[in-house]
Amino acid sequence: MTPRSFAALHARHVWRGTLIAALLNACLYPLDVLRGRDIGPAPWWPVLGASAVGFLIAAFILVVHRRRPQGVHLGSALFILNQAAILASAQIMGPYQLQDPNLIPFQVHKLGALTVAILAPERWAGLLCIFAFALIPVLQFVRLDPAQQARIDTSEPLVLLVYGAVGAVLLLYRLRGLATERALVQAQTEAADARRTARLLLAVRDLSNTPLQVIALASAAARRRSPGLGEPLDRLDRALERLRALHQPLKAYEADLEWRPGDESIDAEAVLAAAGEEARIRRSSASV
């Protein structure tokens, strides 16, 4: 894979994570209205508004981005926007949901921190969202009056911080695994390119052997027939020796190659033709 291919793979990863997060917001977050339906006159528009943001982001990706790919920074920005809409909705709905003693507080923030750890497209965007999901409810808890704080377990701020720490660790572990896989693919690609180059050089060597042998035989025959041509023939022989010396470094490539059945009778012309075709395909794909 070329660096351009790796960049395209990273872009697909960024936009796929943003799309899944937006779809989860658009399809599942409206259920939060049902979760707090017994808490009195709680507004429904914050939840549906956040879901609408997720729907618009998903529609943008499916309609616009697929036709005309956008940059990865925009994908990460839309991911953050999606999480910001959920946070804003949870911030508005929080005081209403605290009126129900049966509701577990800050569920949206805990689930959001773990969801971001799984889907965040980039490290900086993921850590930013995780810290927001973990710290904003803690600040909200601190600003509550004593009567409202009494309805919440005093360990809840610590639990939120634990969720944030776990989410950050999961995010870093996932991204580290992706980076390791990409490095492995890069190493395998470079090794394959090196083997391809070695086969190409060996094919050139094999094709040049016969002309060099013909020139050497012709030089020897000319030396026997015309002894007076010794000086120019000596220069020709020295040039042949230099060409033969170029073959010596290729023996290292030949020893390192993984020979498969049938390679002992390799068709040098076919190897060169295949290399030319691959180069043409790479140039055409790079120009697209």
mmCIF file of all heavy atoms in Angstrom, residues 212-257:
data_model
loop_
_atom_site.group_PDB
_atom_site.id
_atom_site.type_symbol
_atom_site.label_atom_id
_atom_site.label_comp_id
_atom_site.label_asym_id
_atom_site.label_seq_id
_atom_site.Cartn_x
_atom_site.Cartn_y
_atom_site.Cartn_z
ATOM 1 N N LEU A 212 26.069 -10.626 -23.007
ATOM 2 C CA LEU A 212 27.436 -10.497 -22.512
ATOM 3 C C LEU A 212 28.290 -11.688 -22.952
ATOM 4 O O LEU A 212 29.472 -11.532 -23.306
ATOM 5 C CB LEU A 212 27.432 -10.387 -20.985
ATOM 6 C CG LEU A 212 26.856 -9.091 -20.401
ATOM 7 C CD1 LEU A 212 26.861 -9.148 -18.883
ATOM 8 C CD2 LEU A 212 27.639 -7.879 -20.887
ATOM 9 N N GLN A 213 27.705 -12.874 -22.909
ATOM 10 C CA GLN A 213 28.453 -14.054 -23.362
ATOM 11 C C GLN A 213 28.769 -13.970 -24.848
ATOM 12 O O GLN A 213 29.875 -14.336 -25.289
ATOM 13 C CB GLN A 213 27.648 -15.312 -23.056
ATOM 14 C CG GLN A 213 27.509 -15.609 -21.570
ATOM 15 C CD GLN A 213 26.546 -16.742 -21.301
ATOM 16 O OE1 GLN A 213 25.956 -17.302 -22.231
ATOM 17 N NE2 GLN A 213 26.376 -17.082 -20.022
ATOM 18 N N VAL A 214 27.827 -13.479 -25.634
ATOM 19 C CA VAL A 214 28.060 -13.336 -27.076
ATOM 20 C C VAL A 214 29.186 -12.343 -27.334
ATOM 21 O O VAL A 214 30.077 -12.566 -28.182
ATOM 22 C CB VAL A 214 26.764 -12.904 -27.780
ATOM 23 C CG1 VAL A 214 27.038 -12.547 -29.241
ATOM 24 C CG2 VAL A 214 25.725 -14.015 -27.702
ATOM 25 N N ILE A 215 29.159 -11.220 -26.592
ATOM 26 C CA ILE A 215 30.210 -10.212 -26.772
ATOM 27 C C ILE A 215 31.571 -10.786 -26.377
ATOM 28 O O ILE A 215 32.593 -10.547 -27.042
ATOM 29 C CB ILE A 215 29.878 -8.956 -25.944
ATOM 30 C CG1 ILE A 215 28.618 -8.279 -26.496
ATOM 31 C CG2 ILE A 215 31.047 -7.979 -25.953
ATOM 32 C CD1 ILE A 215 28.130 -7.123 -25.653
ATOM 33 N N ALA A 216 31.612 -11.563 -25.283
ATOM 34 C CA ALA A 216 32.881 -12.156 -24.848
ATOM 35 C C ALA A 216 33.409 -13.134 -25.890
ATOM 36 O O ALA A 216 34.619 -13.150 -26.199
ATOM 37 C CB ALA A 216 32.687 -12.850 -23.498
ATOM 38 N N LEU A 217 32.531 -13.968 -26.447
ATOM 39 C CA LEU A 217 32.963 -14.912 -27.481
ATOM 40 C C LEU A 217 33.433 -14.184 -28.737
ATOM 41 O O LEU A 217 34.441 -14.564 -29.365
ATOM 42 C CB LEU A 217 31.822 -15.871 -27.815
ATOM 43 C CG LEU A 217 31.431 -16.853 -26.708
ATOM 44 C CD1 LEU A 217 30.199 -17.653 -27.117
ATOM 45 C CD2 LEU A 217 32.591 -17.794 -26.387
ATOM 46 N N ALA A 218 32.704 -13.131 -29.115
ATOM 47 C CA ALA A 218 33.102 -12.373 -30.301
ATOM 48 C C ALA A 218 34.446 -11.688 -30.084
ATOM 49 O O ALA A 218 35.290 -11.615 -31.001
ATOM 50 C CB ALA A 218 32.027 -11.339 -30.637
ATOM 51 N N SER A 219 34.677 -11.193 -28.852
ATOM 52 C CA SER A 219 35.961 -10.556 -28.555
ATOM 53 C C SER A 219 37.098 -11.564 -28.637
ATOM 54 O O SER A 219 38.176 -11.271 -29.186
ATOM 55 C CB SER A 219 35.907 -9.925 -27.164
ATOM 56 O OG SER A 219 37.169 -9.410 -26.795
ATOM 57 N N ALA A 220 36.872 -12.766 -28.109
ATOM 58 C CA ALA A 220 37.916 -13.791 -28.164
ATOM 59 C C ALA A 220 38.197 -14.202 -29.603
ATOM 60 O O ALA A 220 39.366 -14.393 -30.001
ATOM 61 C CB ALA A 220 37.493 -15.003 -27.329
ATOM 62 N N ALA A 221 37.142 -14.343 -30.410
ATOM 63 C CA ALA A 221 37.344 -14.718 -31.811
ATOM 64 C C ALA A 221 38.082 -13.623 -32.573
ATOM 65 O O ALA A 221 38.980 -13.900 -33.389
ATOM 66 C CB ALA A 221 35.987 -15.004 -32.465
ATOM 67 N N ALA A 222 37.720 -12.369 -32.325
ATOM 68 C CA ALA A 222 38.400 -11.260 -33.005
ATOM 69 C C ALA A 222 39.854 -11.175 -32.580
ATOM 70 O O ALA A 222 40.733 -10.829 -33.390
ATOM 71 C CB ALA A 222 37.673 -9.951 -32.696
ATOM 72 N N ARG A 223 40.149 -11.509 -31.322
ATOM 73 C CA ARG A 223 41.532 -11.448 -30.845
ATOM 74 C C ARG A 223 42.390 -12.506 -31.559
ATOM 75 O O ARG A 223 43.560 -12.258 -31.874
ATOM 76 C CB ARG A 223 41.568 -11.653 -29.336
ATOM 77 C CG ARG A 223 42.925 -11.372 -28.690
ATOM 78 C CD ARG A 223 42.860 -11.646 -27.189
ATOM 79 N NE ARG A 223 41.887 -10.775 -26.535
ATOM 80 C CZ ARG A 223 42.166 -9.539 -26.119
ATOM 81 N NH1 ARG A 223 43.372 -9.032 -26.306
ATOM 82 N NH2 ARG A 223 41.233 -8.818 -25.526
ATOM 83 N N ARG A 224 41.787 -13.678 -31.822
ATOM 84 C CA ARG A 224 42.546 -14.731 -32.506
ATOM 85 C C ARG A 224 42.771 -14.378 -33.976
ATOM 86 O O ARG A 224 43.836 -14.640 -34.534
ATOM 87 C CB ARG A 224 41.803 -16.061 -32.388
ATOM 88 C CG ARG A 224 41.848 -16.673 -30.984
ATOM 89 C CD ARG A 224 41.385 -18.126 -31.016
ATOM 90 N NE ARG A 224 40.013 -18.238 -31.527
ATOM 91 C CZ ARG A 224 38.926 -18.219 -30.771
ATOM 92 N NH1 ARG A 224 39.052 -18.062 -29.449
ATOM 93 N NH2 ARG A 224 37.732 -18.337 -31.314
ATOM 94 N N ARG A 225 41.764 -13.796 -34.591
ATOM 95 C CA ARG A 225 41.886 -13.504 -36.017
ATOM 96 C C ARG A 225 42.726 -12.252 -36.281
ATOM 97 O O ARG A 225 43.419 -12.163 -37.293
ATOM 98 C CB ARG A 225 40.497 -13.318 -36.628
ATOM 99 C CG ARG A 225 39.667 -14.595 -36.627
ATOM 100 C CD ARG A 225 38.282 -14.336 -37.205
ATOM 101 N NE ARG A 225 37.453 -15.540 -37.177
ATOM 102 C CZ ARG A 225 36.190 -15.580 -37.588
ATOM 103 N NH1 ARG A 225 35.613 -14.469 -38.059
ATOM 104 N NH2 ARG A 225 35.515 -16.707 -37.530
ATOM 105 N N SER A 226 42.620 -11.280 -35.403
ATOM 106 C CA SER A 226 43.335 -10.012 -35.631
ATOM 107 C C SER A 226 44.101 -9.642 -34.366
ATOM 108 O O SER A 226 43.584 -8.891 -33.511
ATOM 109 C CB SER A 226 42.355 -8.894 -36.012
ATOM 110 O OG SER A 226 41.584 -9.252 -37.145
ATOM 111 N N PRO A 227 45.301 -10.161 -34.201
ATOM 112 C CA PRO A 227 46.077 -9.843 -32.996
ATOM 113 C C PRO A 227 46.356 -8.349 -32.847
ATOM 114 O O PRO A 227 46.569 -7.864 -31.735
ATOM 115 C CB PRO A 227 47.373 -10.635 -33.192
ATOM 116 C CG PRO A 227 47.002 -11.739 -34.148
ATOM 117 C CD PRO A 227 45.977 -11.146 -35.062
ATOM 118 N N GLY A 228 46.313 -7.605 -33.933
ATOM 119 C CA GLY A 228 46.587 -6.181 -33.848
ATOM 120 C C GLY A 228 45.492 -5.382 -33.158
ATOM 121 O O GLY A 228 45.679 -4.203 -32.847
ATOM 122 N N LEU A 229 44.350 -5.996 -32.937
ATOM 123 C CA LEU A 229 43.240 -5.289 -32.262
ATOM 124 C C LEU A 229 43.281 -5.486 -30.750
ATOM 125 O O LEU A 229 42.274 -5.348 -30.075
ATOM 126 C CB LEU A 229 41.899 -5.802 -32.807
ATOM 127 C CG LEU A 229 41.622 -5.553 -34.286
ATOM 128 C CD1 LEU A 229 40.291 -6.177 -34.689
ATOM 129 C CD2 LEU A 229 41.612 -4.054 -34.580
ATOM 130 N N GLY A 230 44.444 -5.801 -30.235
ATOM 131 C CA GLY A 230 44.546 -6.121 -28.815
ATOM 132 C C GLY A 230 44.101 -4.991 -27.905
ATOM 133 O O GLY A 230 43.371 -5.202 -26.933
ATOM 134 N N GLU A 231 44.520 -3.745 -28.205
ATOM 135 C CA GLU A 231 44.191 -2.637 -27.294
ATOM 136 C C GLU A 231 42.694 -2.354 -27.231
ATOM 137 O O GLU A 231 42.122 -2.280 -26.129
ATOM 138 C CB GLU A 231 44.955 -1.385 -27.715
ATOM 139 C CG GLU A 231 44.713 -0.208 -26.771
ATOM 140 C CD GLU A 231 45.517 1.012 -27.185
ATOM 141 O OE1 GLU A 231 46.361 0.893 -28.100
ATOM 142 O OE2 GLU A 231 45.295 2.079 -26.588
ATOM 143 N N PRO A 232 41.988 -2.203 -28.359
ATOM 144 C CA PRO A 232 40.530 -1.968 -28.245
ATOM 145 C C PRO A 232 39.791 -3.165 -27.657
ATOM 146 O O PRO A 232 38.812 -2.999 -26.926
ATOM 147 C CB PRO A 232 40.097 -1.689 -29.682
ATOM 148 C CG PRO A 232 41.180 -2.233 -30.536
ATOM 149 C CD PRO A 232 42.444 -2.109 -29.758
ATOM 150 N N LEU A 233 40.293 -4.383 -27.971
ATOM 151 C CA LEU A 233 39.633 -5.553 -27.390
ATOM 152 C C LEU A 233 39.876 -5.638 -25.887
ATOM 153 O O LEU A 233 39.018 -6.123 -25.139
ATOM 154 C CB LEU A 233 40.132 -6.827 -28.086
ATOM 155 C CG LEU A 233 39.693 -6.986 -29.548
ATOM 156 C CD1 LEU A 233 40.288 -8.257 -30.154
ATOM 157 C CD2 LEU A 233 38.166 -7.019 -29.659
ATOM 158 N N ASP A 234 41.051 -5.163 -25.439
ATOM 159 C CA ASP A 234 41.299 -5.133 -23.995
ATOM 160 C C ASP A 234 40.313 -4.195 -23.297
ATOM 161 O O ASP A 234 39.808 -4.494 -22.208
ATOM 162 C CB ASP A 234 42.734 -4.687 -23.718
ATOM 163 C CG ASP A 234 43.751 -5.751 -24.116
ATOM 164 O OD1 ASP A 234 43.336 -6.930 -24.236
ATOM 165 O OD2 ASP A 234 44.926 -5.404 -24.298
ATOM 166 N N ARG A 235 40.072 -3.043 -23.927
ATOM 167 C CA ARG A 235 39.090 -2.121 -23.336
ATOM 168 C C ARG A 235 37.704 -2.761 -23.302
ATOM 169 O O ARG A 235 36.943 -2.599 -22.344
ATOM 170 C CB ARG A 235 39.057 -0.809 -24.124
ATOM 171 C CG ARG A 235 40.317 0.029 -23.953
ATOM 172 C CD ARG A 235 40.073 1.465 -24.398
ATOM 173 N NE ARG A 235 39.762 1.534 -25.824
ATOM 174 C CZ ARG A 235 40.673 1.702 -26.779
ATOM 175 N NH1 ARG A 235 41.959 1.817 -26.456
ATOM 176 N NH2 ARG A 235 40.318 1.773 -28.047
ATOM 177 N N LEU A 236 37.377 -3.497 -24.357
ATOM 178 C CA LEU A 236 36.082 -4.183 -24.389
ATOM 179 C C LEU A 236 35.996 -5.240 -23.293
ATOM 180 O O LEU A 236 34.963 -5.368 -22.618
ATOM 181 C CB LEU A 236 35.881 -4.823 -25.763
ATOM 182 C CG LEU A 236 34.570 -5.602 -25.967
ATOM 183 C CD1 LEU A 236 33.364 -4.695 -25.787
ATOM 184 C CD2 LEU A 236 34.550 -6.258 -27.353
ATOM 185 N N ASP A 237 37.087 -5.976 -23.087
ATOM 186 C CA ASP A 237 37.079 -7.005 -22.034
ATOM 187 C C ASP A 237 36.951 -6.379 -20.646
ATOM 188 O O ASP A 237 36.269 -6.922 -19.767
ATOM 189 C CB ASP A 237 38.355 -7.845 -22.121
ATOM 190 C CG ASP A 237 38.376 -8.725 -23.370
ATOM 191 O OD1 ASP A 237 37.286 -8.943 -23.940
ATOM 192 O OD2 ASP A 237 39.472 -9.171 -23.767
ATOM 193 N N ARG A 238 37.628 -5.231 -20.444
ATOM 194 C CA ARG A 238 37.503 -4.577 -19.139
ATOM 195 C C ARG A 238 36.073 -4.082 -18.903
ATOM 196 O O ARG A 238 35.551 -4.151 -17.788
ATOM 197 C CB ARG A 238 38.495 -3.411 -19.047
ATOM 198 C CG ARG A 238 39.947 -3.860 -18.898
ATOM 199 C CD ARG A 238 40.831 -2.697 -18.484
ATOM 200 N NE ARG A 238 40.888 -1.670 -19.521
ATOM 201 C CZ ARG A 238 41.798 -1.655 -20.503
ATOM 202 N NH1 ARG A 238 42.717 -2.627 -20.586
ATOM 203 N NH2 ARG A 238 41.797 -0.695 -21.402
ATOM 204 N N ALA A 239 35.432 -3.601 -19.958
ATOM 205 C CA ALA A 239 34.036 -3.179 -19.820
ATOM 206 C C ALA A 239 33.136 -4.369 -19.487
ATOM 207 O O ALA A 239 32.208 -4.264 -18.665
ATOM 208 C CB ALA A 239 33.569 -2.500 -21.108
ATOM 209 N N LEU A 240 33.436 -5.526 -20.103
ATOM 210 C CA LEU A 240 32.653 -6.726 -19.794
ATOM 211 C C LEU A 240 32.843 -7.147 -18.343
ATOM 212 O O LEU A 240 31.892 -7.574 -17.676
ATOM 213 C CB LEU A 240 33.059 -7.865 -20.735
ATOM 214 C CG LEU A 240 32.583 -7.751 -22.193
ATOM 215 C CD1 LEU A 240 33.183 -8.877 -23.029
ATOM 216 C CD2 LEU A 240 31.058 -7.807 -22.256
ATOM 217 N N GLU A 241 34.070 -7.024 -17.846
ATOM 218 C CA GLU A 241 34.323 -7.390 -16.456
ATOM 219 C C GLU A 241 33.558 -6.474 -15.497
ATOM 220 O O GLU A 241 33.045 -6.925 -14.464
ATOM 221 C CB GLU A 241 35.825 -7.324 -16.165
ATOM 222 C CG GLU A 241 36.627 -8.430 -16.834
ATOM 223 C CD GLU A 241 36.174 -9.811 -16.381
ATOM 224 O OE1 GLU A 241 35.807 -9.955 -15.197
ATOM 225 O OE2 GLU A 241 36.168 -10.735 -17.219
ATOM 226 N N ARG A 242 33.494 -5.190 -15.838
ATOM 227 C CA ARG A 242 32.730 -4.281 -14.979
ATOM 228 C C ARG A 242 31.243 -4.632 -14.994
ATOM 229 O O ARG A 242 30.561 -4.556 -13.968
ATOM 230 C CB ARG A 242 32.949 -2.834 -15.427
ATOM 231 C CG ARG A 242 34.329 -2.287 -15.065
ATOM 232 C CD ARG A 242 34.360 -0.774 -15.170
ATOM 233 N NE ARG A 242 34.189 -0.332 -16.553
ATOM 234 C CZ ARG A 242 35.196 -0.123 -17.395
ATOM 235 N NH1 ARG A 242 36.455 -0.337 -16.995
ATOM 236 N NH2 ARG A 242 34.969 0.295 -18.618
ATOM 237 N N LEU A 243 30.743 -5.018 -16.165
ATOM 238 C CA LEU A 243 29.336 -5.418 -16.234
ATOM 239 C C LEU A 243 29.088 -6.696 -15.440
ATOM 240 O O LEU A 243 28.060 -6.829 -14.763
ATOM 241 C CB LEU A 243 28.922 -5.616 -17.696
ATOM 242 C CG LEU A 243 28.806 -4.342 -18.540
ATOM 243 C CD1 LEU A 243 28.510 -4.698 -19.991
ATOM 244 C CD2 LEU A 243 27.712 -3.433 -17.991
ATOM 245 N N ARG A 244 30.036 -7.635 -15.521
ATOM 246 C CA ARG A 244 29.875 -8.862 -14.736
ATOM 247 C C ARG A 244 29.960 -8.566 -13.240
ATOM 248 O O ARG A 244 29.296 -9.222 -12.427
ATOM 249 C CB ARG A 244 30.949 -9.875 -15.129
ATOM 250 C CG ARG A 244 30.785 -10.446 -16.532
ATOM 251 C CD ARG A 244 31.664 -11.666 -16.715
ATOM 252 N NE ARG A 244 31.554 -12.213 -18.064
ATOM 253 C CZ ARG A 244 32.443 -11.987 -19.033
ATOM 254 N NH1 ARG A 244 33.505 -11.219 -18.792
ATOM 255 N NH2 ARG A 244 32.268 -12.517 -20.233
ATOM 256 N N ALA A 245 30.776 -7.571 -12.867
ATOM 257 C CA ALA A 245 30.890 -7.222 -11.449
ATOM 258 C C ALA A 245 29.573 -6.677 -10.901
ATOM 259 O O ALA A 245 29.280 -6.813 -9.704
ATOM 260 C CB ALA A 245 32.007 -6.198 -11.251
ATOM 261 N N LEU A 246 28.780 -6.062 -11.784
ATOM 262 C CA LEU A 246 27.476 -5.563 -11.331
ATOM 263 C C LEU A 246 26.540 -6.697 -10.939
ATOM 264 O O LEU A 246 25.571 -6.480 -10.206
ATOM 265 C CB LEU A 246 26.833 -4.717 -12.438
ATOM 266 C CG LEU A 246 27.540 -3.403 -12.786
ATOM 267 C CD1 LEU A 246 26.828 -2.718 -13.942
ATOM 268 C CD2 LEU A 246 27.582 -2.480 -11.577
ATOM 269 N N HIS A 247 26.801 -7.891 -11.429
ATOM 270 C CA HIS A 247 25.945 -9.025 -11.101
ATOM 271 C C HIS A 247 26.195 -9.555 -9.695
ATOM 272 O O HIS A 247 25.338 -10.245 -9.136
ATOM 273 C CB HIS A 247 26.164 -10.158 -12.113
ATOM 274 C CG HIS A 247 25.648 -9.834 -13.477
ATOM 275 N ND1 HIS A 247 25.772 -10.704 -14.547
ATOM 276 C CD2 HIS A 247 25.005 -8.740 -13.968
ATOM 277 C CE1 HIS A 247 25.232 -10.156 -15.620
ATOM 278 N NE2 HIS A 247 24.770 -8.965 -15.293
ATOM 279 N N GLN A 248 27.362 -9.267 -9.130
ATOM 280 C CA GLN A 248 27.694 -9.833 -7.820
ATOM 281 C C GLN A 248 26.743 -9.366 -6.714
ATOM 282 O O GLN A 248 26.281 -10.180 -5.909
ATOM 283 C CB GLN A 248 29.148 -9.483 -7.464
ATOM 284 C CG GLN A 248 30.181 -10.095 -8.393
ATOM 285 C CD GLN A 248 30.112 -11.614 -8.415
ATOM 286 O OE1 GLN A 248 29.899 -12.256 -7.379
ATOM 287 N NE2 GLN A 248 30.273 -12.187 -9.599
ATOM 288 N N PRO A 249 26.417 -8.058 -6.611
ATOM 289 C CA PRO A 249 25.488 -7.652 -5.533
ATOM 290 C C PRO A 249 24.113 -8.300 -5.639
ATOM 291 O O PRO A 249 23.400 -8.412 -4.638
ATOM 292 C CB PRO A 249 25.395 -6.126 -5.701
ATOM 293 C CG PRO A 249 26.638 -5.740 -6.433
ATOM 294 C CD PRO A 249 26.927 -6.885 -7.346
ATOM 295 N N LEU A 250 23.743 -8.727 -6.854
ATOM 296 C CA LEU A 250 22.420 -9.325 -7.017
ATOM 297 C C LEU A 250 22.325 -10.700 -6.369
ATOM 298 O O LEU A 250 21.221 -11.197 -6.132
ATOM 299 C CB LEU A 250 22.076 -9.432 -8.507
ATOM 300 C CG LEU A 250 21.986 -8.103 -9.266
ATOM 301 C CD1 LEU A 250 21.638 -8.357 -10.717
ATOM 302 C CD2 LEU A 250 20.954 -7.185 -8.628
ATOM 303 N N LYS A 251 23.465 -11.318 -6.078
ATOM 304 C CA LYS A 251 23.420 -12.627 -5.435
ATOM 305 C C LYS A 251 22.809 -12.542 -4.038
ATOM 306 O O LYS A 251 22.172 -13.490 -3.569
ATOM 307 C CB LYS A 251 24.826 -13.219 -5.364
ATOM 308 C CG LYS A 251 25.393 -13.594 -6.730
ATOM 309 C CD LYS A 251 26.752 -14.249 -6.586
ATOM 310 C CE LYS A 251 27.284 -14.668 -7.956
ATOM 311 N NZ LYS A 251 28.619 -15.318 -7.869
ATOM 312 N N ALA A 252 23.005 -11.398 -3.370
ATOM 313 C CA ALA A 252 22.392 -11.231 -2.043
ATOM 314 C C ALA A 252 20.876 -11.216 -2.155
ATOM 315 O O ALA A 252 20.167 -11.820 -1.344
ATOM 316 C CB ALA A 252 22.895 -9.940 -1.397
ATOM 317 N N TYR A 253 20.340 -10.523 -3.175
ATOM 318 C CA TYR A 253 18.892 -10.532 -3.388
ATOM 319 C C TYR A 253 18.405 -11.941 -3.706
ATOM 320 O O TYR A 253 17.353 -12.370 -3.237
ATOM 321 C CB TYR A 253 18.519 -9.598 -4.541
ATOM 322 C CG TYR A 253 18.678 -8.134 -4.229
ATOM 323 C CD1 TYR A 253 19.757 -7.415 -4.731
ATOM 324 C CD2 TYR A 253 17.754 -7.463 -3.441
ATOM 325 C CE1 TYR A 253 19.905 -6.066 -4.457
ATOM 326 C CE2 TYR A 253 17.896 -6.113 -3.157
ATOM 327 C CZ TYR A 253 18.974 -5.424 -3.671
ATOM 328 O OH TYR A 253 19.123 -4.098 -3.396
ATOM 329 N N GLU A 254 19.183 -12.655 -4.521
ATOM 330 C CA GLU A 254 18.768 -13.992 -4.916
ATOM 331 C C GLU A 254 18.698 -14.924 -3.718
ATOM 332 O O GLU A 254 17.816 -15.775 -3.622
ATOM 333 C CB GLU A 254 19.757 -14.532 -5.954
ATOM 334 C CG GLU A 254 19.319 -15.827 -6.609
ATOM 335 C CD GLU A 254 20.249 -16.225 -7.741
ATOM 336 O OE1 GLU A 254 21.339 -15.623 -7.853
ATOM 337 O OE2 GLU A 254 19.887 -17.124 -8.515
ATOM 338 N N ALA A 255 19.621 -14.748 -2.759
ATOM 339 C CA ALA A 255 19.616 -15.605 -1.571
ATOM 340 C C ALA A 255 18.456 -15.279 -0.644
ATOM 341 O O ALA A 255 17.948 -16.157 0.059
ATOM 342 C CB ALA A 255 20.939 -15.457 -0.823
ATOM 343 N N ASP A 256 18.017 -14.018 -0.625
ATOM 344 C CA ASP A 256 16.948 -13.613 0.289
ATOM 345 C C ASP A 256 15.552 -13.874 -0.258
ATOM 346 O O ASP A 256 14.576 -13.803 0.490
ATOM 347 C CB ASP A 256 17.070 -12.118 0.617
ATOM 348 C CG ASP A 256 18.312 -11.825 1.448
ATOM 349 O OD1 ASP A 256 18.805 -12.766 2.103
ATOM 350 O OD2 ASP A 256 18.787 -10.673 1.424
ATOM 351 N N LEU A 257 15.449 -14.145 -1.539
ATOM 352 C CA LEU A 257 14.132 -14.363 -2.123
ATOM 353 C C LEU A 257 13.526 -15.675 -1.648
ATOM 354 O O LEU A 257 14.236 -16.647 -1.380
ATOM 355 C CB LEU A 257 14.223 -14.372 -3.651
ATOM 356 C CG LEU A 257 14.264 -13.007 -4.345
ATOM 357 C CD1 LEU A 257 14.435 -13.200 -5.842
ATOM 358 C CD2 LEU A 257 13.001 -12.223 -4.063
#
